[in-house]
Amino acid sequence: MNETWLERWQQGRIGWHEADGNRSLKRHWRGTGFRVLVPLCGKSIDMLWLAEQGNEVTGIEVSKIAAREFFTDNDLSYERSADGTHYRATELPITIVCGDYFAFDGDGFDAHYDRGALIALPAVLRPRYAAHTTARLSADPAQLVITLEYAQASVDGPPYSVLPQELLSYWPRLARIDAYDDIANAPPKFRDAGLSKMTEVVWRSN
């Protein structure tokens, strides 16, 4: 799995990346002063937005290309650890840890933001991902999780369709607070397959 994503970054095949950030995050995030975990973060500008709201952000990403591009794309100076795994902004509380997410053992995060991690994983890996993420979080974390719902029989992911029953089996305390058709932002393969509707769904802890 990691090899696939490393190859996509090397080839620049990052159609899931939102250059302007995610509108649902800006609309529905609540709170400041959190230690926010952002799994499979890529070079998401959402991390910059979260830090600017007064949060300490830790992203986990397998690709060092993505980590470097996050800082260079946003004109942020950074320091890299001696082993090359930690990239830390010098002016904002943002750290990207490079490596296999399932090997990441940091814990005590009191907030969790997921826009493209759960939906990037096939069904066989999602329970493991959710359990590993929960183990990284505090007992009552703030969570904002964004999923997609579409007719997966028409075209397969990634990104994958994750239905409410599955999402709530991982995090039953989340509530569905928003949903809208987002087919205009779907990767080309979805529209090429004739898919006419893709719903982005926003889940948040109470």
Side-chain angles (χ1 to χ4, degrees):
M1 186 71 185
N2 285 343
E3 291 75 15
T4 299
W5 292 108
L6 287 169
E7 182 178 325
R8 290 180 70 122
W9 277 103
Q10 290 167 352
Q11 297 174 350
R13 295 166 53 219
I14 55 171
W16 65 87
H17 177 69
E18 293 182 319
D20 297 323
N22 185 267
R23 59 180 172 174
S24 293
L25 170 67
K26 298 170 185 175
R27 183 180 301 165
H28 295 295
W29 180 265
R30 299 187 302 190
T32 185
F34 289 116
R35 291 183 63 225
V36 186
L37 176 65
V38 186
L40 283 60
C41 63
K43 61 174 183 177
S44 174
I45 198 172
D46 292 339
M47 292 186 289
L48 180 61
W49 187 88
L50 284 166
E52 289 172 341
Q53 310 313 303
N55 300 290
E56 178 185 338
V57 181
T58 300
I60 317 301
E61 170 55 43
V62 69
S63 171
K64 293 182 179 180
I65 295 174
R68 291 193 298 268
E69 288 188 359
F70 169 77
F71 292 102
T72 57
D73 288 357
N74 294 297
D75 295 321
L76 296 174
S77 58
Y78 66 94
E79 298 173 345
R80 190 175 66 171
S81 62
D83 63 2
T85 60
H86 288 61
Y87 293 71
R88 296 185 179 90
T90 58
E91 299 172 0
L92 286 171
I94 303 173
T95 300
I96 297 179
V97 181
C98 287
D100 183 350
Y101 179 59
F102 293 116
F104 177 67
D105 61 359
D107 58 16
F109 293 93
D110 55 3
H112 165 224
Y113 172 58
D114 181 331
R115 197 284 294 186
L118 183 68
I119 61 174
L121 298 173
V124 68
L125 283 180
R126 292 198 290 264
R128 182 185 175 195
Y129 162 80
H132 185 74
T133 299
T134 299
R136 314 273 71 80
L137 302 176
S138 62
D140 188 27
Q143 288 183 271
L144 188 70
V145 179
I146 298 171
T147 61
L148 296 175
E149 297 177 6
Y150 64 88
Q152 197 160 296
S154 301
V155 56
D156 201 11
Y160 297 96
S161 177
V162 177
L163 298 180
Q165 183 177 0
E166 179 184 354
L167 186 284
L168 291 172
S169 73
Y170 305 140
W171 297 303
R173 58 194 292 274
L174 298 188
R176 182 178 174 127
I177 60 170
D178 202 357
Y180 51 86
D181 185 28
D182 200 37
I183 190 64
N185 292 318
K189 71 173 182 180
F190 291 88
R191 294 190 297 274
D192 292 346
L195 198 69
S196 60
K197 184 176 182 180
M198 174 180 281
T199 303
E200 181 165 294
V201 183
V202 185
W203 299 86
R204 189 177 66 193
S205 56
N206 294 324

